[in-house]
């Protein structure tokens, strides 16, 4: 929060900058959120936006740390806890990682422990309002303890994986884990 220290090498952002770029058009009749890959049953799960909205919700407060330097502070997100997804769509015991998939093929890989973390959230709301489209409407993954690239906006699916695989930025020089408190920005820092 405002009184929290910033992770090493971060600077305070003015407001909440949104990355410039095309934003997807939300078509409720075609939109779904899916869980696929190594599920316990072998089956695939799918929710409409109304179904996602009807799931039990939680609120978290967090700062957001972009790996390029800016930290924007004091965000309140509301949505579905990732552990609720893990309960509704249980992973097979061999699952070690997940891939979070967004519109346009953006992806981010996470260790299962990071996805399962208490504060990891599939957010629908920010500061009491539905997310704006620039910031990920209708659904956005928020992983408070990792850099921003680990939280896809316009989230569409979670894939359960039995081995690690790099996501969009992780394939382009960003750190595979991305812990801001350890300043894990670049892939060359990996052991
Ligand atoms: N789909 C998608 N999600 C994304 C990105 C992106 O380019 N596309 N950028 C990531 C990065 S690098 C950051 S820092 C945050 C920025 O989110 P914000 O604009 O809401 O602060 O979104 C993350 N999620
Ligand atoms: Mo970022």
């Amino acid at each position: 929060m405002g009184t929290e220290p910033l992770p090493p090498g971060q600077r305070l952002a003015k407001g909440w900058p949104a990355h410039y770029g095309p934003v997807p058009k939300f078509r409720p009749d075609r939109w779904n959120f899916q869980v696929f890959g190594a599920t316990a049953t072998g089956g695939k799960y799918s929710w409409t936006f109304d179904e996602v909205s009807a799931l039990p919700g939680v609120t978290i407060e967090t700062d957001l740390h972009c790996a390029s330097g800016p930290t924007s502070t004091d965000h309140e997100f509301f949505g579905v806890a990732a552990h609720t997804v893990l309960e509704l769509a249980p992973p097979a015991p061999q699952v070690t990682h997940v891939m979070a998939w967004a519109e346009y093929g953006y992806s981010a890989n996470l260790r299962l422990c990071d996805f399962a973390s208490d504060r990891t959230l599939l957010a629908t709301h920010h500061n009491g309002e539905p997310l704006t489209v620039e910031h990920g409407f209708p659904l956005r993954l928020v992983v408070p303890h990792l850099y921003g690239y680990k939280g896809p906006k316009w989230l569409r699916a979670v894939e359960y994986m039995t081995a690690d695989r790099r996501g969009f930025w992780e394939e382009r020089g960003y750190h595979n884990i991305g812990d801001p408190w350890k300043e894990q920005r670049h892939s060359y820092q990996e052991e």
Side-chain angles (χ1 to χ4, degrees), residues 159-182:
E159 176 186 358
Y160 292 158
M161 307 194 294
T162 56
D164 199 8
R165 216 165 73 219
R166 301 179 83 94
F168 183 85
W169 284 117
E170 296 82 0
E171 276 188 329
R172 290 166 176 78
Y174 281 83
H175 197 282
N176 197 43
I177 298 187
D179 181 344
W181 302 98
K182 296 183 180 158

PDB file of all heavy atoms in Angstrom, residues 159-182:
ATOM      1  N   GLU A 159      -4.084 -23.383 -18.269  1.00  0.00           N
ATOM      2  CA  GLU A 159      -3.670 -24.726 -18.697  1.00  0.00           C
ATOM      3  C   GLU A 159      -2.824 -25.350 -17.588  1.00  0.00           C
ATOM      4  O   GLU A 159      -1.837 -24.756 -17.153  1.00  0.00           O
ATOM      5  CB  GLU A 159      -2.839 -24.600 -19.986  1.00  0.00           C
ATOM      6  CG  GLU A 159      -2.285 -25.926 -20.472  1.00  0.00           C
ATOM      7  CD  GLU A 159      -1.342 -25.777 -21.674  1.00  0.00           C
ATOM      8  OE1 GLU A 159      -1.137 -24.644 -22.166  1.00  0.00           O
ATOM      9  OE2 GLU A 159      -0.810 -26.809 -22.104  1.00  0.00           O
ATOM     10  N   TYR A 160      -3.224 -26.536 -17.147  1.00  0.00           N
ATOM     11  CA  TYR A 160      -2.435 -27.258 -16.150  1.00  0.00           C
ATOM     12  C   TYR A 160      -1.330 -28.023 -16.865  1.00  0.00           C
ATOM     13  O   TYR A 160      -1.591 -28.751 -17.838  1.00  0.00           O
ATOM     14  CB  TYR A 160      -3.316 -28.247 -15.389  1.00  0.00           C
ATOM     15  CG  TYR A 160      -4.361 -27.612 -14.486  1.00  0.00           C
ATOM     16  CD1 TYR A 160      -5.501 -28.330 -14.111  1.00  0.00           C
ATOM     17  CD2 TYR A 160      -4.219 -26.318 -13.985  1.00  0.00           C
ATOM     18  CE1 TYR A 160      -6.467 -27.784 -13.282  1.00  0.00           C
ATOM     19  CE2 TYR A 160      -5.180 -25.757 -13.149  1.00  0.00           C
ATOM     20  CZ  TYR A 160      -6.296 -26.488 -12.800  1.00  0.00           C
ATOM     21  OH  TYR A 160      -7.243 -25.940 -11.972  1.00  0.00           O
ATOM     22  N   MET A 161      -0.102 -27.902 -16.349  1.00  0.00           N
ATOM     23  CA  MET A 161       1.049 -28.495 -17.027  1.00  0.00           C
ATOM     24  C   MET A 161       1.828 -29.400 -16.073  1.00  0.00           C
ATOM     25  O   MET A 161       1.944 -29.105 -14.885  1.00  0.00           O
ATOM     26  CB  MET A 161       1.972 -27.397 -17.563  1.00  0.00           C
ATOM     27  CG  MET A 161       1.252 -26.371 -18.443  1.00  0.00           C
ATOM     28  SD  MET A 161       2.360 -25.314 -19.399  1.00  0.00           S
ATOM     29  CE  MET A 161       3.185 -24.375 -18.122  1.00  0.00           C
ATOM     30  N   THR A 162       2.369 -30.479 -16.619  1.00  0.00           N
ATOM     31  CA  THR A 162       3.155 -31.416 -15.817  1.00  0.00           C
ATOM     32  C   THR A 162       4.655 -31.137 -15.953  1.00  0.00           C
ATOM     33  O   THR A 162       5.474 -31.852 -15.400  1.00  0.00           O
ATOM     34  CB  THR A 162       2.850 -32.875 -16.213  1.00  0.00           C
ATOM     35  OG1 THR A 162       3.082 -33.010 -17.620  1.00  0.00           O
ATOM     36  CG2 THR A 162       1.399 -33.226 -15.913  1.00  0.00           C
ATOM     37  N   ALA A 163       5.007 -30.108 -16.729  1.00  0.00           N
ATOM     38  CA  ALA A 163       6.394 -29.637 -16.823  1.00  0.00           C
ATOM     39  C   ALA A 163       6.321 -28.150 -17.142  1.00  0.00           C
ATOM     40  O   ALA A 163       5.306 -27.665 -17.634  1.00  0.00           O
ATOM     41  CB  ALA A 163       7.135 -30.385 -17.923  1.00  0.00           C
ATOM     42  N   ASP A 164       7.394 -27.446 -16.882  1.00  0.00           N
ATOM     43  CA  ASP A 164       7.394 -26.005 -17.124  1.00  0.00           C
ATOM     44  C   ASP A 164       7.561 -25.712 -18.614  1.00  0.00           C
ATOM     45  O   ASP A 164       8.178 -26.486 -19.354  1.00  0.00           O
ATOM     46  CB  ASP A 164       8.543 -25.360 -16.326  1.00  0.00           C
ATOM     47  CG  ASP A 164       8.349 -23.857 -16.131  1.00  0.00           C
ATOM     48  OD1 ASP A 164       7.265 -23.344 -16.480  1.00  0.00           O
ATOM     49  OD2 ASP A 164       9.277 -23.220 -15.615  1.00  0.00           O
ATOM     50  N   ARG A 165       6.992 -24.599 -19.037  1.00  0.00           N
ATOM     51  CA  ARG A 165       7.108 -24.117 -20.416  1.00  0.00           C
ATOM     52  C   ARG A 165       7.052 -22.589 -20.319  1.00  0.00           C
ATOM     53  O   ARG A 165       6.269 -22.084 -19.523  1.00  0.00           O
ATOM     54  CB  ARG A 165       5.884 -24.620 -21.186  1.00  0.00           C
ATOM     55  CG  ARG A 165       6.138 -24.999 -22.622  1.00  0.00           C
ATOM     56  CD  ARG A 165       4.956 -25.802 -23.141  1.00  0.00           C
ATOM     57  NE  ARG A 165       3.801 -24.938 -23.362  1.00  0.00           N
ATOM     58  CZ  ARG A 165       2.547 -25.288 -23.086  1.00  0.00           C
ATOM     59  NH1 ARG A 165       2.260 -26.470 -22.574  1.00  0.00           N
ATOM     60  NH2 ARG A 165       1.562 -24.443 -23.329  1.00  0.00           N
ATOM     61  N   ARG A 166       7.860 -21.862 -21.088  1.00  0.00           N
ATOM     62  CA  ARG A 166       7.906 -20.408 -20.928  1.00  0.00           C
ATOM     63  C   ARG A 166       6.742 -19.724 -21.648  1.00  0.00           C
ATOM     64  O   ARG A 166       6.326 -20.157 -22.718  1.00  0.00           O
ATOM     65  CB  ARG A 166       9.244 -19.869 -21.420  1.00  0.00           C
ATOM     66  CG  ARG A 166      10.434 -20.474 -20.687  1.00  0.00           C
ATOM     67  CD  ARG A 166      11.748 -19.946 -21.195  1.00  0.00           C
ATOM     68  NE  ARG A 166      12.085 -18.657 -20.584  1.00  0.00           N
ATOM     69  CZ  ARG A 166      12.851 -18.519 -19.503  1.00  0.00           C
ATOM     70  NH1 ARG A 166      13.337 -19.591 -18.883  1.00  0.00           N
ATOM     71  NH2 ARG A 166      13.123 -17.323 -19.033  1.00  0.00           N
ATOM     72  N   GLY A 167       6.255 -18.659 -21.038  1.00  0.00           N
ATOM     73  CA  GLY A 167       5.182 -17.868 -21.626  1.00  0.00           C
ATOM     74  C   GLY A 167       5.726 -16.779 -22.541  1.00  0.00           C
ATOM     75  O   GLY A 167       6.894 -16.806 -22.944  1.00  0.00           O
ATOM     76  N   PHE A 168       4.863 -15.814 -22.860  1.00  0.00           N
ATOM     77  CA  PHE A 168       5.190 -14.787 -23.861  1.00  0.00           C
ATOM     78  C   PHE A 168       6.450 -13.999 -23.515  1.00  0.00           C
ATOM     79  O   PHE A 168       7.415 -13.994 -24.273  1.00  0.00           O
ATOM     80  CB  PHE A 168       3.994 -13.832 -24.018  1.00  0.00           C
ATOM     81  CG  PHE A 168       4.206 -12.783 -25.070  1.00  0.00           C
ATOM     82  CD1 PHE A 168       3.925 -13.053 -26.399  1.00  0.00           C
ATOM     83  CD2 PHE A 168       4.716 -11.523 -24.740  1.00  0.00           C
ATOM     84  CE1 PHE A 168       4.133 -12.089 -27.380  1.00  0.00           C
ATOM     85  CE2 PHE A 168       4.927 -10.557 -25.715  1.00  0.00           C
ATOM     86  CZ  PHE A 168       4.638 -10.843 -27.036  1.00  0.00           C
ATOM     87  N   TRP A 169       6.493 -13.329 -22.376  1.00  0.00           N
ATOM     88  CA  TRP A 169       7.674 -12.518 -22.018  1.00  0.00           C
ATOM     89  C   TRP A 169       8.823 -13.386 -21.552  1.00  0.00           C
ATOM     90  O   TRP A 169       9.997 -13.026 -21.717  1.00  0.00           O
ATOM     91  CB  TRP A 169       7.325 -11.459 -20.961  1.00  0.00           C
ATOM     92  CG  TRP A 169       6.573 -10.307 -21.544  1.00  0.00           C
ATOM     93  CD1 TRP A 169       5.304  -9.902 -21.251  1.00  0.00           C
ATOM     94  CD2 TRP A 169       7.053  -9.399 -22.565  1.00  0.00           C
ATOM     95  NE1 TRP A 169       4.961  -8.815 -22.032  1.00  0.00           N
ATOM     96  CE2 TRP A 169       6.012  -8.496 -22.838  1.00  0.00           C
ATOM     97  CE3 TRP A 169       8.249  -9.283 -23.277  1.00  0.00           C
ATOM     98  CZ2 TRP A 169       6.131  -7.473 -23.790  1.00  0.00           C
ATOM     99  CZ3 TRP A 169       8.380  -8.267 -24.224  1.00  0.00           C
ATOM    100  CH2 TRP A 169       7.320  -7.378 -24.464  1.00  0.00           C
ATOM    101  N   GLU A 170       8.496 -14.530 -20.956  1.00  0.00           N
ATOM    102  CA  GLU A 170       9.545 -15.429 -20.469  1.00  0.00           C
ATOM    103  C   GLU A 170      10.380 -15.958 -21.634  1.00  0.00           C
ATOM    104  O   GLU A 170      11.559 -16.254 -21.470  1.00  0.00           O
ATOM    105  CB  GLU A 170       8.924 -16.588 -19.680  1.00  0.00           C
ATOM    106  CG  GLU A 170       8.199 -16.168 -18.389  1.00  0.00           C
ATOM    107  CD  GLU A 170       6.783 -15.663 -18.642  1.00  0.00           C
ATOM    108  OE1 GLU A 170       6.334 -15.634 -19.808  1.00  0.00           O
ATOM    109  OE2 GLU A 170       6.110 -15.294 -17.647  1.00  0.00           O
ATOM    110  N   GLU A 171       9.765 -16.059 -22.827  1.00  0.00           N
ATOM    111  CA  GLU A 171      10.502 -16.478 -24.024  1.00  0.00           C
ATOM    112  C   GLU A 171      11.291 -15.325 -24.625  1.00  0.00           C
ATOM    113  O   GLU A 171      12.100 -15.529 -25.518  1.00  0.00           O
ATOM    114  CB  GLU A 171       9.509 -16.947 -25.115  1.00  0.00           C
ATOM    115  CG  GLU A 171       9.064 -18.359 -24.989  1.00  0.00           C
ATOM    116  CD  GLU A 171       8.248 -18.790 -26.213  1.00  0.00           C
ATOM    117  OE1 GLU A 171       7.559 -17.926 -26.821  1.00  0.00           O
ATOM    118  OE2 GLU A 171       8.312 -19.975 -26.535  1.00  0.00           O
ATOM    119  N   ARG A 172      11.023 -14.100 -24.173  1.00  0.00           N
ATOM    120  CA  ARG A 172      11.635 -12.914 -24.771  1.00  0.00           C
ATOM    121  C   ARG A 172      12.536 -12.188 -23.786  1.00  0.00           C
ATOM    122  O   ARG A 172      12.601 -10.964 -23.783  1.00  0.00           O
ATOM    123  CB  ARG A 172      10.522 -11.978 -25.287  1.00  0.00           C
ATOM    124  CG  ARG A 172       9.804 -12.535 -26.511  1.00  0.00           C
ATOM    125  CD  ARG A 172       8.513 -11.793 -26.807  1.00  0.00           C
ATOM    126  NE  ARG A 172       7.882 -12.278 -28.027  1.00  0.00           N
ATOM    127  CZ  ARG A 172       7.169 -13.405 -28.115  1.00  0.00           C
ATOM    128  NH1 ARG A 172       7.013 -14.183 -27.043  1.00  0.00           N
ATOM    129  NH2 ARG A 172       6.638 -13.768 -29.268  1.00  0.00           N
ATOM    130  N   GLY A 173      13.196 -12.951 -22.937  1.00  0.00           N
ATOM    131  CA  GLY A 173      14.238 -12.364 -22.091  1.00  0.00           C
ATOM    132  C   GLY A 173      13.829 -12.013 -20.674  1.00  0.00           C
ATOM    133  O   GLY A 173      14.668 -11.572 -19.889  1.00  0.00           O
ATOM    134  N   TYR A 174      12.554 -12.205 -20.341  1.00  0.00           N
ATOM    135  CA  TYR A 174      12.142 -11.929 -18.962  1.00  0.00           C
ATOM    136  C   TYR A 174      12.284 -13.180 -18.095  1.00  0.00           C
ATOM    137  O   TYR A 174      12.278 -14.305 -18.589  1.00  0.00           O
ATOM    138  CB  TYR A 174      10.708 -11.371 -18.916  1.00  0.00           C
ATOM    139  CG  TYR A 174      10.706  -9.910 -19.287  1.00  0.00           C
ATOM    140  CD1 TYR A 174      10.700  -9.511 -20.621  1.00  0.00           C
ATOM    141  CD2 TYR A 174      10.769  -8.926 -18.299  1.00  0.00           C
ATOM    142  CE1 TYR A 174      10.752  -8.168 -20.967  1.00  0.00           C
ATOM    143  CE2 TYR A 174      10.810  -7.579 -18.647  1.00  0.00           C
ATOM    144  CZ  TYR A 174      10.801  -7.213 -19.974  1.00  0.00           C
ATOM    145  OH  TYR A 174      10.864  -5.891 -20.312  1.00  0.00           O
ATOM    146  N   HIS A 175      12.426 -12.929 -16.802  1.00  0.00           N
ATOM    147  CA  HIS A 175      12.732 -14.002 -15.852  1.00  0.00           C
ATOM    148  C   HIS A 175      11.588 -15.015 -15.757  1.00  0.00           C
ATOM    149  O   HIS A 175      10.410 -14.637 -15.763  1.00  0.00           O
ATOM    150  CB  HIS A 175      13.003 -13.386 -14.481  1.00  0.00           C
ATOM    151  CG  HIS A 175      13.705 -14.298 -13.525  1.00  0.00           C
ATOM    152  ND1 HIS A 175      13.059 -15.303 -12.851  1.00  0.00           N
ATOM    153  CD2 HIS A 175      15.006 -14.361 -13.156  1.00  0.00           C
ATOM    154  CE1 HIS A 175      13.937 -15.939 -12.085  1.00  0.00           C
ATOM    155  NE2 HIS A 175      15.121 -15.386 -12.251  1.00  0.00           N
ATOM    156  N   ASN A 176      11.936 -16.264 -15.606  1.00  0.00           N
ATOM    157  CA  ASN A 176      10.928 -17.333 -15.597  1.00  0.00           C
ATOM    158  C   ASN A 176      10.028 -17.268 -14.362  1.00  0.00           C
ATOM    159  O   ASN A 176       8.874 -17.680 -14.429  1.00  0.00           O
ATOM    160  CB  ASN A 176      11.632 -18.690 -15.668  1.00  0.00           C
ATOM    161  CG  ASN A 176      10.690 -19.804 -16.072  1.00  0.00           C
ATOM    162  OD1 ASN A 176       9.876 -19.639 -16.982  1.00  0.00           O
ATOM    163  ND2 ASN A 176      10.775 -20.929 -15.385  1.00  0.00           N
ATOM    164  N   ILE A 177      10.549 -16.754 -13.248  1.00  0.00           N
ATOM    165  CA  ILE A 177       9.745 -16.687 -12.015  1.00  0.00           C
ATOM    166  C   ILE A 177       9.232 -15.272 -11.773  1.00  0.00           C
ATOM    167  O   ILE A 177       8.044 -15.074 -11.542  1.00  0.00           O
ATOM    168  CB  ILE A 177      10.541 -17.225 -10.807  1.00  0.00           C
ATOM    169  CG1 ILE A 177      10.849 -18.704 -11.091  1.00  0.00           C
ATOM    170  CG2 ILE A 177       9.758 -17.032  -9.496  1.00  0.00           C
ATOM    171  CD1 ILE A 177      11.472 -19.488 -10.015  1.00  0.00           C
ATOM    172  N   GLY A 178      10.094 -14.267 -11.808  1.00  0.00           N
ATOM    173  CA  GLY A 178       9.633 -12.877 -11.770  1.00  0.00           C
ATOM    174  C   GLY A 178       9.248 -12.350 -10.401  1.00  0.00           C
ATOM    175  O   GLY A 178       8.258 -11.624 -10.264  1.00  0.00           O
ATOM    176  N   ASP A 179      10.069 -12.650  -9.378  1.00  0.00           N
ATOM    177  CA  ASP A 179       9.818 -12.132  -8.029  1.00  0.00           C
ATOM    178  C   ASP A 179      10.430 -10.733  -7.904  1.00  0.00           C
ATOM    179  O   ASP A 179      11.650 -10.590  -7.945  1.00  0.00           O
ATOM    180  CB  ASP A 179      10.435 -13.086  -7.005  1.00  0.00           C
ATOM    181  CG  ASP A 179      10.209 -12.646  -5.558  1.00  0.00           C
ATOM    182  OD1 ASP A 179       9.845 -11.476  -5.320  1.00  0.00           O
ATOM    183  OD2 ASP A 179      10.409 -13.486  -4.661  1.00  0.00           O
ATOM    184  N   PRO A 180       9.605  -9.681  -7.741  1.00  0.00           N
ATOM    185  CA  PRO A 180      10.148  -8.319  -7.677  1.00  0.00           C
ATOM    186  C   PRO A 180      11.022  -8.078  -6.443  1.00  0.00           C
ATOM    187  O   PRO A 180      11.910  -7.246  -6.480  1.00  0.00           O
ATOM    188  CB  PRO A 180       8.900  -7.429  -7.651  1.00  0.00           C
ATOM    189  CG  PRO A 180       7.797  -8.310  -7.206  1.00  0.00           C
ATOM    190  CD  PRO A 180       8.144  -9.706  -7.626  1.00  0.00           C
ATOM    191  N   TRP A 181      10.754  -8.790  -5.355  1.00  0.00           N
ATOM    192  CA  TRP A 181      11.529  -8.582  -4.120  1.00  0.00           C
ATOM    193  C   TRP A 181      12.926  -9.163  -4.262  1.00  0.00           C
ATOM    194  O   TRP A 181      13.840  -8.769  -3.555  1.00  0.00           O
ATOM    195  CB  TRP A 181      10.770  -9.152  -2.920  1.00  0.00           C
ATOM    196  CG  TRP A 181       9.424  -8.492  -2.836  1.00  0.00           C
ATOM    197  CD1 TRP A 181       8.234  -8.971  -3.300  1.00  0.00           C
ATOM    198  CD2 TRP A 181       9.155  -7.179  -2.343  1.00  0.00           C
ATOM    199  NE1 TRP A 181       7.238  -8.044  -3.120  1.00  0.00           N
ATOM    200  CE2 TRP A 181       7.779  -6.935  -2.522  1.00  0.00           C
ATOM    201  CE3 TRP A 181       9.935  -6.181  -1.757  1.00  0.00           C
ATOM    202  CZ2 TRP A 181       7.169  -5.744  -2.146  1.00  0.00           C
ATOM    203  CZ3 TRP A 181       9.333  -4.994  -1.373  1.00  0.00           C
ATOM    204  CH2 TRP A 181       7.962  -4.776  -1.571  1.00  0.00           C
ATOM    205  N   LYS A 182      13.105 -10.098  -5.205  1.00  0.00           N
ATOM    206  CA  LYS A 182      14.441 -10.629  -5.525  1.00  0.00           C
ATOM    207  C   LYS A 182      14.966  -9.989  -6.809  1.00  0.00           C
ATOM    208  O   LYS A 182      15.993 -10.391  -7.322  1.00  0.00           O
ATOM    209  CB  LYS A 182      14.381 -12.149  -5.686  1.00  0.00           C
ATOM    210  CG  LYS A 182      13.991 -12.885  -4.412  1.00  0.00           C
ATOM    211  CD  LYS A 182      14.036 -14.400  -4.638  1.00  0.00           C
ATOM    212  CE  LYS A 182      13.654 -15.149  -3.366  1.00  0.00           C
ATOM    213  NZ  LYS A 182      13.184 -16.512  -3.704  1.00  0.00           N
TER     214      LYS A 182
END
